[in-house]
Amino acid sequence: MGISAIAIVSGIEKEHILKLRTSFQNFCDNSGEVSVVSRADFDSALKSLEGLEPSDVELLDRLFILLDESGDCKIDYKDFLVGTAALITGTVSEKILFAFNVYDESDSGEVMSGDMKKIFTALNAVASFFGDPVMTPTQIKELVIDVFKQGSSPSAPLRYEDHLEVISSHPVVSQFVNGKGSVRFGR
């Protein structure tokens, strides 16, 4: 997978993503926006990061462009941060867990089914940027339904760490991480 190759050579790590999250949260607190960060605030947050190579900054910049679908120089920073979780070093399970942790700003350890769908949609978008085969929206929905069946109730919050093995070993996720997604550049 292209994204796996980038993760190996990239210097982007958890601490960078967590610092970005803190910066983005502060910008949102000041602007009144909910999880939306402007291009100017994004650039300011990137400049405050230490230890990133220029190629890593360029990569993050390009991901901003990818996720700015409307062209209004604003992105949902949660989608951005979750997508970048695939770029850290670690196992598939570690990257998925980190994506959930980044999304879970309240540190509750729980997600709703819609949240899980957003997490995998964001991971999918970043994988597609690197030309990797990705999951279809139907496959993401299937994954979420199957995982939430393992919980106490399909409509109740799910403790994602308790279900990490089920998520990581799910056939849709296995197909995705092995570069055998069923579509290219899909969303």
Side-chain angles (χ1 to χ4, degrees), residues 112-179:
M112 298 297 290
S113 61
D115 298 327
M116 186 172 168
K117 181 180 177 207
K118 281 192 72 156
I119 289 166
F120 277 94
T121 299
L123 289 169
N124 218 29
V126 172
S128 75
F129 176 73
F130 293 102
D132 291 337
V134 296
M135 300 172 279
T136 65
T138 302
Q139 288 173 315
I140 293 173
K141 183 178 179 180
E142 173 189 325
L143 166 65
V144 171
I145 289 170
D146 289 350
V147 170
F148 270 78
K149 283 181 185 175
Q150 304 289 320
S152 60
S153 165
S155 60
L158 183 84
R159 294 208 42 85
Y160 52 84
E161 197 162 357
D162 295 346
H163 294 84
L164 190 58
E165 180 59 36
V166 172
I167 297 167
S168 299
S169 65
H170 191 279
V172 169
V173 173
S174 295
Q175 182 180 358
F176 174 61
V177 299
N178 289 314

Side-chain angles (χ1 to χ4, degrees), residues 25-46:
Q25 287 169 328
N26 290 337
F27 290 133
C28 287
D29 288 346
N30 292 334
S31 72
E33 295 270 3
V34 178
S35 78
V36 173
V37 66
S38 71
R39 179 58 177 199
D41 289 341
F42 178 84
D43 289 343
S44 177
L46 272 186

